[in-house]
Amino acid sequence: MADDHTHVQDFFTARAADWDTRFPDDGPAYAVAVEALGLRPGDAALDAGCGTGRALPALRDAVGPRGTVLGADLTPAMLRAAVRAGRDRSGRLLLADVARLPLRTASLDAVFGAGLISHLSHPGPDLAELARVVRPGGQLALFHPIGRAALAARHGRRITDDDLRAEPNLRPLLARSGWRLDSYIDEDARFLARAVRAD
């Protein structure tokens, strides 16, 4: 696990300073994805693997001033970039591993994870940890501002049958982890899988 964490931290530390400038037009897509969670004023939400905190303003808008917004990330450099961007004003930042969150069981209404699943060391147990901190009936949004095929093409690859984000793979993975896949969108302009915390 430590080696997995080191790899993730090295990857994102090297990219933290210019992360937002590499993807300057993603803000509206994040807002639409957060809106799909149907959060209400006063709710509590976590951006898991928040990076530079691009989802935090939309989460704050959704839950209002009385709600709780947390952003957790494993990479200090990404959290520092979030602070430089002023996104710490939208939520509390936590240096934390999403596989071992310092949060009470059933304390959240929703978890948002942008680009998260491909960086999870142990996707099943890690998704189960996200389920632990969400109340029954709460929601999970797994998001990326472009779809699987477009992302693979950007990296000069093709999508394969073993891609965890493919619906036939993701649905049972979520089910084993305490989630029920509720909606699934994979198109060029976005990837959004929304799941509900099982009772």
Side-chain angles (χ1 to χ4, degrees):
M1 176 87 69
D3 289 342
D4 293 332
H5 289 166
T6 299
H7 172 74
V8 169
Q9 287 176 319
D10 289 349
F11 178 88
F12 284 108
T13 297
R15 293 161 175 80
D18 68 344
W19 188 260
D20 286 349
T21 58
R22 293 174 63 200
F23 309 105
D25 303 321
D26 288 348
Y30 273 76
V32 169
V34 167
E35 187 177 316
L37 285 170
L39 290 165
R40 296 169 299 198
D43 278 353
L46 168 70
D47 183 0
C50 68
T52 62
R54 290 183 293 170
L56 297 179
L59 289 168
R60 172 56 63 200
D61 287 346
V63 304
R66 293 183 298 109
T68 299
V69 175
L70 304 171
D73 203 276
L74 188 62
T75 306
M78 292 298 262
L79 294 177
R80 288 193 295 271
V83 171
R84 282 194 304 275
R87 297 186 184 119
D88 57 321
R89 292 190 295 270
S90 295
R92 181 173 171 222
L93 299 176
L94 306 172
L95 179 61
D97 180 358
V98 299
R100 290 184 302 277
L101 289 165
L103 300 173
R104 293 188 320 275
T105 296
S107 59
L108 300 174
D109 297 289
V111 172
F112 183 87
L116 176 69
I117 195 163
S118 60
H119 296 287
L120 296 177
S121 301
H122 304 286
D126 296 348
L127 289 167
E129 172 65 357
L130 296 180
R132 179 188 69 79
V133 299
V134 173
R135 64 170 173 77
Q139 296 191 68
L140 168 69
L142 297 173
F143 167 73
H144 201 283
I146 62 174
R148 293 186 310 123
L151 182 62
R154 178 187 285 177
H155 295 290
R157 297 191 298 261
R158 298 172 65 99
I159 53 175
T160 60
D161 290 342
D162 63 348
D163 183 348
L164 283 180
R165 294 161 297 179
E167 185 175 5
N169 300 329
L170 186 60
R171 183 179 296 277
L173 174 64
L174 287 167
R176 290 190 302 271
S177 305
W179 300 99
R180 183 186 75 250
L181 185 63
D182 193 51
S183 65
Y184 182 91
I185 299 167
D186 182 17
E187 53 197 24
D188 282 348
R190 69 174 167 159
F191 174 87
L192 180 61
R194 193 171 53 81
V196 176
R197 173 71 171 94
D199 293 340

